[in-house]
Amino acid sequence: MAAPRKLSMKQRYAALTRDLDWDLSYVDEDKAYPYTSFEGIKIHDWSKWEDPFRLTIDAYMKYQAEKDKRLYAVLDSFAQGQGHLQLTDPSYLNAMKLFLQGVTPLEYQAHRNFAYLARFLNGPGPRFAALCQSQDELRHAQTEIHTLSNYNKYYQGMHSWQHQHDRVWYLSVPKSYFDDAVTAGPFEFLIAIGFSFEYLLTNLLFVPFMSGASFNGDLPTMTFGFSAQSDESRHMTLGLEAIKFMLEQDPDNVPIVQAWIDKWFWRGYRLLALVSQMLDYMLPRKVMSWKEAFELYFEEQMLGGLFPDLAYYGITPPRHVEHAIAEKEVLSHQVYWTLYQFSFAAGFTTTIPSEDAQKWLAEQYPQTFEKLYKPLWGKAAAVVDNGGRYFYQGLPQLCQVCQVPMLFTEPGDPTTICQRHTEFEGERYDFCSDGCQWIFEREPEKYVQAWLPVHQIYQGNCGGPTVPDVLAWYKLQPGDNGEIAGNLEQTAWETWHATSSAEEQAPAPVAGN
């Protein structure tokens, strides 16, 4: 009897993925896969799907286990060596709080919905790709929690992040993005997450921000970030493959895909508003400005690289992209100034940029910072010098779609707040931009249901009518936010440094005692 022939890697992959599929005989395909037809996308041949993962389950698990082993070795070493004392400044922790509260729950939502796609996509190729990404996203959520849990032992503001994600006003921005995506159909979800979130957001978050973690002495976050980035490259490939697969299956798919690209580009870009201020303001030691990151990862790589390739299929650059490009000079300043004014109701602290930081911002934004934003920080500093703290008296109006406070300015005029509105069924709805208004007017029935935190507070649905009532409902504790000019992170930082110094200077214990 001849010895069994050993399969090549490609053959083994095919045998363990596509060859395990079968034709349904006991139930109609429409009943087995009911969600891939109502969006209008026409698929004629699921076998034409090109698999971006090309991993068997055993190989996939082996690679991920190796990465986890290296990551947890770094986490253990960091914890045992009191690595949190090596951070450049305690203010850096505010960026980590925002990351934990805003990003980690999204990873888990992505895990759940890709698991749903792994069941309800018709073809074995996309089902397997969705299964792998589902496991990736669950791993990311777990490793982010473990990475940041060490800081929670020493500093405030990292507790109750899951509870806060569903309630806190600024966290409704990322939450509404994913709520929008997971309530769409499966093909639109692939565009929303695989294209917009993975291509647009991930590069602008993970690459410069994780480099910033390294610059600021945060070894665990840097290690996690680059461990996750190898997965994100596959996720970006999955998003691009989903677009190309739909476009190649039928010409009628092109206008549908184009509308989704237009929508999810703008939704992803508005979500990036939080990332922009993290790069420019929350990192004590800067690695690159938001403007530099946007020009490199969006303008050069996406507009200059991806969209010329998609032009072959009839896809054009996203609607309203010119407004995003124009905002790169002002976006981060407008967002951080707003967070500074409302940080009494946030889970992190905000401070006036130091003189060195303002000098750096003036160099990065020579056309706007000194003229428009440095005077604002001068006024805020004068209030602090007189023993106060500048806060906005009231609650901000929110955009009905992106749920960001109405802080953005008119295209080409950074001195005038942009405000658009539409009437639907006798009610007025307000928007921060032409992009958000356009999105609403395509699907008004969906966005009238938005859970807007400010509206809910005024309706008495957030713990009570006063700010302390709302903060208690958020589970924010004294010192978590910027209610006072100083903050407890600095106090905790000094305490732990003093404790470490005292331990180093203490005499060695006598044997037998």
Side-chain angles (χ1 to χ4, degrees), residues 215-236:
F215 268 49
N216 285 277
D218 186 1
L219 184 61
T221 301
M222 179 203 72
T223 307
F224 154 73
F226 289 114
S227 172
Q229 190 63 18
S230 61
D231 299 333
E232 303 297 348
S233 62
R234 293 199 308 271
H235 302 172
M236 289 188 285

Side-chain angles (χ1 to χ4, degrees), residues 13-135:
Y13 168 76
L16 291 176
T17 56
R18 302 208 178 198
D19 290 354
L20 292 179
D21 193 37
W22 64 88
D23 294 328
L24 301 176
S25 59
Y26 56 89
V27 66
D28 292 337
E29 185 172 346
D30 290 342
K31 291 184 178 179
Y33 306 109
Y35 303 114
T36 51
S37 57
F38 73 89
E39 295 172 287
I41 294 293
K42 299 176 181 177
I43 304 298
H44 303 293
D45 187 355
W46 284 94
S47 68
K48 296 297 183 182
W49 176 276
E50 290 293 333
D51 301 334
F53 284 77
R54 298 188 185 280
L55 286 171
T56 56
I57 284 291
D58 56 345
Y60 171 83
M61 294 300 181
K62 176 184 176 183
Y63 295 149
Q64 298 300 72
E66 287 294 329
K67 288 199 294 185
D68 275 359
K69 193 180 299 182
R70 295 188 186 98
L71 172 63
Y72 284 104
V74 172
L75 297 184
D76 289 343
S77 174
F78 188 83
Q80 293 174 19
Q82 298 288 293
H84 70 97
L85 300 177
Q86 305 304 314
L87 296 177
T88 53
D89 190 87
S91 63
Y92 167 81
L93 292 164
N94 290 302
M96 292 297 97
K97 294 176 188 178
L98 187 54
F99 188 96
L100 176 66
Q101 296 165 354
V103 176
T104 300
L106 305 186
E107 306 274 18
Y108 188 73
Q109 279 190 276
H111 149 69
R112 295 188 64 184
N113 216 60
F114 274 106
Y116 153 82
L117 295 187
R119 160 61 182 87
F120 286 110
L121 288 175
N122 302 51
R127 283 203 301 271
F128 184 74
L131 174 64
C132 290
Q133 182 151 350
S134 175
Q135 294 177 94

Side-chain angles (χ1 to χ4, degrees), residues 313-353:
Y313 301 98
I315 295 297
T316 60
R319 185 187 296 258
H320 305 115
V321 68
E322 68 281 1
H323 295 172
I325 294 173
E327 279 186 346
K328 66 185 177 184
E329 294 281 348
V330 299
L331 182 67
S332 65
H333 316 297
Q334 294 173 349
V335 175
Y336 190 76
W337 175 244
T338 302
L339 292 178
Y340 181 82
Q341 296 176 78
F342 290 99
S343 60
F344 61 86
F348 52 82
T349 61
T350 53
T351 56
I352 298 170

Side-chain angles (χ1 to χ4, degrees), residues 33-334:
Y33 306 109
Y35 303 114
T36 51
S37 57
F38 73 89
E39 295 172 287
I41 294 293
K42 299 176 181 177
I43 304 298
H44 303 293
D45 187 355
W46 284 94
S47 68
K48 296 297 183 182
W49 176 276
E50 290 293 333
D51 301 334
F53 284 77
R54 298 188 185 280
L55 286 171
T56 56
I57 284 291
D58 56 345
Y60 171 83
M61 294 300 181
K62 176 184 176 183
Y63 295 149
Q64 298 300 72
E66 287 294 329
K67 288 199 294 185
D68 275 359
K69 193 180 299 182
R70 295 188 186 98
L71 172 63
Y72 284 104
V74 172
L75 297 184
D76 289 343
S77 174
F78 188 83
Q80 293 174 19
Q82 298 288 293
H84 70 97
L85 300 177
Q86 305 304 314
L87 296 177
T88 53
D89 190 87
S91 63
Y92 167 81
L93 292 164
N94 290 302
M96 292 297 97
K97 294 176 188 178
L98 187 54
F99 188 96
L100 176 66
Q101 296 165 354
V103 176
T104 300
L106 305 186
E107 306 274 18
Y108 188 73
Q109 279 190 276
H111 149 69
R112 295 188 64 184
N113 216 60
F114 274 106
Y116 153 82
L117 295 187
R119 160 61 182 87
F120 286 110
L121 288 175
N122 302 51
R127 283 203 301 271
F128 184 74
L131 174 64
C132 290
Q133 182 151 350
S134 175
Q135 294 177 94
D136 276 351
E137 304 293 4
L138 180 59
R139 172 181 173 267
H140 292 178
Q142 292 170 335
T143 52
E144 285 167 15
I145 294 167
H146 282 294
T147 297
L148 294 168
S149 64
N150 186 59
Y151 292 127
N152 187 48
K153 299 175 184 177
Y154 304 99
Y155 306 101
Q156 291 195 216
M158 293 189 178
H159 60 86
S160 307
W161 53 270
Q162 216 170 359
H163 173 91
Q164 291 165 6
H165 179 73
D166 293 334
R167 293 166 174 79
V168 179
W169 59 277
Y170 58 89
L171 297 178
S172 73
V173 177
K175 183 177 186 297
S176 71
Y177 181 99
F178 259 76
D179 286 349
D180 194 348
V182 301
T183 53
F187 290 114
E188 184 179 350
F189 177 82
L190 285 171
I191 300 292
I193 306 306
F195 165 72
S196 178
F197 195 82
E198 302 290 359
Y199 246 106
L200 176 60
L201 179 64
T202 299
N203 273 342
L204 280 163
L205 174 62
F206 275 86
V207 180
F209 195 69
M210 297 311 164
S211 296
S214 175
F215 268 49
N216 285 277
D218 186 1
L219 184 61
T221 301
M222 179 203 72
T223 307
F224 154 73
F226 289 114
S227 172
Q229 190 63 18
S230 61
D231 299 333
E232 303 297 348
S233 62
R234 293 199 308 271
H235 302 172
M236 289 188 285
T237 307
L238 174 59
L240 185 57
E241 169 54 31
I243 291 176
K244 290 185 174 180
F245 175 70
M246 286 184 269
L247 296 175
E248 290 172 350
Q249 284 292 304
D250 197 288
D252 290 346
N253 295 342
V254 174
I256 301 175
V257 172
Q258 179 70 63
W260 286 340
I261 288 175
D262 293 344
K263 169 187 173 179
W264 288 103
F265 157 73
W266 192 258
R267 289 237 58 191
Y269 169 69
R270 273 293 179 251
L271 177 55
L272 284 170
L274 292 173
V275 178
S276 69
Q277 62 82 33
M278 291 168 76
L279 289 178
D280 280 348
Y281 284 88
M282 283 190 165
L283 295 181
R285 187 179 295 170
K286 318 296 185 187
V287 60
M288 69 191 313
S289 68
W290 162 254
K291 178 182 173 182
E292 289 178 306
F294 185 81
E295 289 175 343
L296 174 60
Y297 295 110
F298 178 71
E299 291 186 60
E300 291 185 26
Q301 292 189 3
M302 287 198 69
L303 287 184
L306 174 62
F307 279 96
D309 292 340
L310 293 178
Y312 171 80
Y313 301 98
I315 295 297
T316 60
R319 185 187 296 258
H320 305 115
V321 68
E322 68 281 1
H323 295 172
I325 294 173
E327 279 186 346
K328 66 185 177 184
E329 294 281 348
V330 299
L331 182 67
S332 65
H333 316 297
Q334 294 173 349

